[in-house]
C-alpha cells in the first residue's frame, strides 16, 4: 500500500455465495485471480473458472490436518484443484499433498515460502543504531523475547532472575505480540518487583534498567539485530508460533516452544541446520544459553548456520512473481 498508493484499490472479497460472487465478477471483470496458501472459496473459484479467469494459488500449503479434512469431500475439492492454471507450492511435501487432492502435477511448482523471503536493510546499520540508543557494548549479552502471549512473560521473568547474577551486564528485552497487553505485563513486572523501562522513552544511551518493555509497533524485527539469544513467542502456549526466520536472518540462535504448527516448515529448516531449538520452559533456555556463552566458537557456528538457513529461502517472492507474469503473458 505504501509503495502503490493511489494506484491500488482494496476491496473485501465477496461472500462465497453464487449470486454475490457472480455480481462481483461481472463488475470487476478480472483477468487473473490469485489466492494464497489455502484460501479455497468454492463458489468464487468455480464461477471465476467458468468465466475464463486464470486461477493461481501462490505460497500454497496444505497441513496434514487440512489434507485429511479435504479428503472427506473429494467431489468438491478435486474440481477446485483442477481449476488452477498453476500452483506455487511452498515445499515438496505440499506439492505431494496437492497432487493427492487431485491437482495436475504438471501445474504444481515448488517455489518456497514468501514469508521467509526476508531481506536485511542495507541503508542503515540497525545493530549499531540500537546499541547506541540503548547504551549497549558490542559484546553485551541481550536476551530478546519476541511476540509473547499471556503465560510466556513468566518464562521471561524466571529467566531474568536466574541469569541476572551470573551475567551481570546482560539486558532483557520483551515485546508482546499485542500492545493492548502492555498494562497487564507492567502489572506482572510490578508484582515481581522487576524494574523496567519502556523502549519509547529510551534515546541516546539513557537506559538505567536491565529490562526493556517494547511498547512500539514495527521495531521487533529490527531489534533482533542486537539479540544474543532470541525466543519467539506464541509457541509455549498453543497459538501456532510466529515467524522465527525474522530472527534467523540476523544470524541468531532461535528458541521457541512446542506449539509451532503455523511455522512447522520454518522449524524444519532451522532445526535441520542446527540453528533452531525447542524449549519447554525457562530451564531449557537458561541451560542452552549458558552453555553457548561458555563456548564462543559453538555459538558463532550456530549463528552462521541460522543466517545461512534464512538466506537460502530468499528468491521465493521473485519466483512466484515470475510465475504470475508467465501465466498472464504466455
Amino acid at each position: 500500500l505504501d509503495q502503490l498508493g493511489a494506484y491500488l484499490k482494496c476491496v473485501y472479497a465477496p461472500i462465497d455465495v453464487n449470486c454475490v460472487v457472480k455480481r462481483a465478477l461481472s463488475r470487476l471483470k478480472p483477468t487473473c485471480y490469485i489466492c494464497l496458501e489455502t484460501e479455497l472459496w468454492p463458489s468464487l473459484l468455480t464461477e471465476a473458472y467458468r468465466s475464463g479467469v486464470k486461477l493461481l494459488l501462490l505460497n500454497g500449503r496444505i497441513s496434514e490436518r487440512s489434507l485429511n479434512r479435504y479428503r472427506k469431500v473429494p467431489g468438491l475439492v478435486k474440481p477446485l484443484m483442477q481449476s488452477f492454471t498453476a500452483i506455487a507450492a511452498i515445499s515438496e511435501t505440499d506439492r505431494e499433498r496437492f497432487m493427492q487432492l487431485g491437482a495436475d502435477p504438471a501445474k504444481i511448482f515448488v517455489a518456497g515460502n514468501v514469508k521467509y523471503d526476508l531481506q536485511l536493510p542495507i541503508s542503515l546499520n540497525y545493530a549499531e543504531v540500537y546499541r547506541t540508543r540503548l547504551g549497549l557494548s558490542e559484546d553485551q549479552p541481550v536476551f530478546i523475547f519476541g511476540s509473547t502471549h499471556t503465560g510466556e512473560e513468566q518464562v521471561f521473568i524466571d529467566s531474568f532472575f536466574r541469569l541476572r547474577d551470573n551475567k551481570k551486564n546482560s539486558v532483557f528485552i520483551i515485546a508482546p505480540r499485542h500492545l493492548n497487553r502492555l498494562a497487564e505485563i507492567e502489572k506482572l513486572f510490578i508484582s515481581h518487583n522487576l524494574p523496567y523501562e519502556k523502549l519509547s522513552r529510551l534515546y541516546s544511551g539513557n537506559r538505567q534498567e536491565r529490562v526493556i518493555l517494547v511498547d512500539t509497533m514495527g521495531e521487533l524485527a529490527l531489534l533482533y539485530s542486537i539479540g544474543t539469544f532470541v525466543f519467539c513467542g506464541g509457541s509455549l502456549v498453543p497459538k501456532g508460533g510466529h515467524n522465527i526466520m525474522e530472527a534467523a536472518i540476523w544470524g541468531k540462535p532461535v528458541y521457541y516452544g512446542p506449539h509451532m504448527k503455523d511455522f512447522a516448515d520454518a522449524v524444519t529448516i532451522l532445526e535441520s541446520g542446527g540453528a533452531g531449538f525447542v524449549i519447554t520452559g525457562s530451564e531449557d533456555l537458561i541451560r542452552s544459553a549458558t552453555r553457548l556463552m561458555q563456548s564462543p566458537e559453538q555459538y558463532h557456528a550456530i549463528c552462521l548456520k541460522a543466517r545461512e538457513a534464512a538466506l537460502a529461502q530468499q528468491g521465493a517472492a521473485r519466483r512466484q512473481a515470475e510465475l504470475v507474469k508467465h501465466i498472464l503473458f504466455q
Side-chain angles (χ1 to χ4, degrees):
L1 285 173
D2 291 338
Q3 295 180 11
L4 296 176
Y7 296 100
L8 180 67
K9 184 175 182 179
C10 292
V11 296
Y12 288 110
I15 298 173
D16 203 48
V17 177
N18 282 354
C19 61
V20 178
V21 167
K22 287 181 179 179
R23 185 164 67 244
L25 291 173
S26 67
R27 291 188 179 183
L28 294 174
K29 295 181 173 58
T31 303
C32 178
Y33 175 77
I34 301 173
C35 55
L36 299 176
E37 299 188 347
T38 50
E39 291 293 329
L40 306 177
W41 298 102
S43 295
L44 180 56
L45 291 174
T46 300
E47 292 301 329
Y49 178 71
R50 289 173 179 171
S51 300
V53 179
K54 294 181 179 179
L55 307 179
L56 290 96
L57 175 59
L58 303 185
N59 225 46
R61 65 190 305 170
I62 296 283
S63 67
E64 186 173 356
R65 180 180 178 183
S66 294
L67 177 65
N68 294 331
R69 187 168 66 245
Y70 287 141
R71 277 175 165 170
K72 296 177 181 178
V73 285
L76 173 65
V77 174
K78 186 174 181 179
L80 294 181
M81 291 291 108
Q82 294 179 339
S83 68
F84 283 104
T85 304
I87 296 174
I90 287 176
S91 67
E92 286 290 348
T93 299
D94 294 299
R95 183 178 186 273
E96 290 293 327
R97 289 172 178 170
F98 280 117
M99 290 169 54
Q100 291 179 45
L101 294 177
D104 184 348
K107 296 180 179 180
I108 312 174
F109 309 90
V110 176
N113 193 333
V114 296
K115 290 181 179 179
Y116 308 148
D117 188 357
L118 305 174
Q119 304 289 328
L120 289 178
I122 59 175
S123 59
L124 200 61
N125 185 337
Y126 280 97
E128 183 178 331
V129 169
Y130 278 111
R131 285 195 194 101
T132 300
R133 179 178 172 183
L134 302 180
L136 301 170
S137 63
E138 195 161 340
D139 61 348
Q140 198 163 355
V142 178
F143 292 81
I144 298 181
F145 283 60
S147 297
T148 58
H149 291 251
T150 301
E152 294 177 324
E153 285 81 20
Q154 189 60 52
V155 175
F156 173 86
I157 293 171
D158 293 344
S159 299
F160 171 76
F161 282 121
R162 290 283 303 279
L163 289 166
R164 66 173 179 174
D165 295 329
N166 293 336
K167 299 296 176 182
K168 295 184 182 299
N169 66 335
S170 56
V171 172
F172 294 76
I173 300 174
I174 186 164
R177 180 64 176 177
H178 302 111
L179 292 184
N180 61 5
R181 296 189 55 245
L182 286 172
E184 172 191 339
I185 296 170
E186 290 184 79
K187 185 177 180 180
L188 186 64
F189 284 173
I190 292 170
S191 70
H192 284 80
N193 296 314
L194 182 62
Y196 67 94
E197 293 179 88
K198 293 182 179 180
L199 180 64
S200 63
R201 299 176 185 175
L202 296 178
Y203 294 97
S204 303
N206 65 335
R207 178 182 57 82
Q208 299 296 318
E209 305 296 344
R210 295 172 60 184
V211 172
I212 299 169
L213 176 60
V214 178
D215 60 338
T216 56
M217 289 286 290
E219 293 197 76
L220 179 58
L222 299 175
L223 276 167
Y224 284 147
S225 65
I226 60 171
T228 310
F229 299 97
V230 173
F231 167 79
C232 291
S235 58
L236 283 173
V237 292
K239 297 293 183 180
H242 293 294
N243 193 349
I244 53 181
M245 288 298 181
E246 290 181 342
I249 191 70
W250 292 101
K252 309 296 179 180
V254 188
Y255 296 86
Y256 39 83
H259 303 288
M260 286 289 294
K261 68 179 180 65
D262 292 345
F263 295 88
D265 49 348
V267 168
T268 299
I269 292 168
L270 286 190
E271 290 185 358
S272 63
F277 307 92
V278 62
I279 64 173
T280 58
S282 58
E283 287 289 340
D284 294 339
L285 175 62
I286 292 166
R287 187 183 306 110
S288 176
T290 301
R291 175 175 53 82
L292 290 178
M293 283 190 284
Q294 294 171 348
S295 178
E297 288 187 3
Q298 184 180 6
Y299 172 79
H300 289 300
I302 290 173
C303 290
L304 181 61
K305 291 176 181 177
R307 182 159 167 73
E308 288 177 345
L311 289 176
Q313 310 310 308
Q314 292 183 340
R318 177 174 293 277
R319 287 190 290 272
Q320 297 190 45
E322 290 292 340
L323 176 61
V324 175
K325 181 180 177 181
H326 172 73
I327 294 299
L328 288 178
F329 300 104
Q330 65 180 353

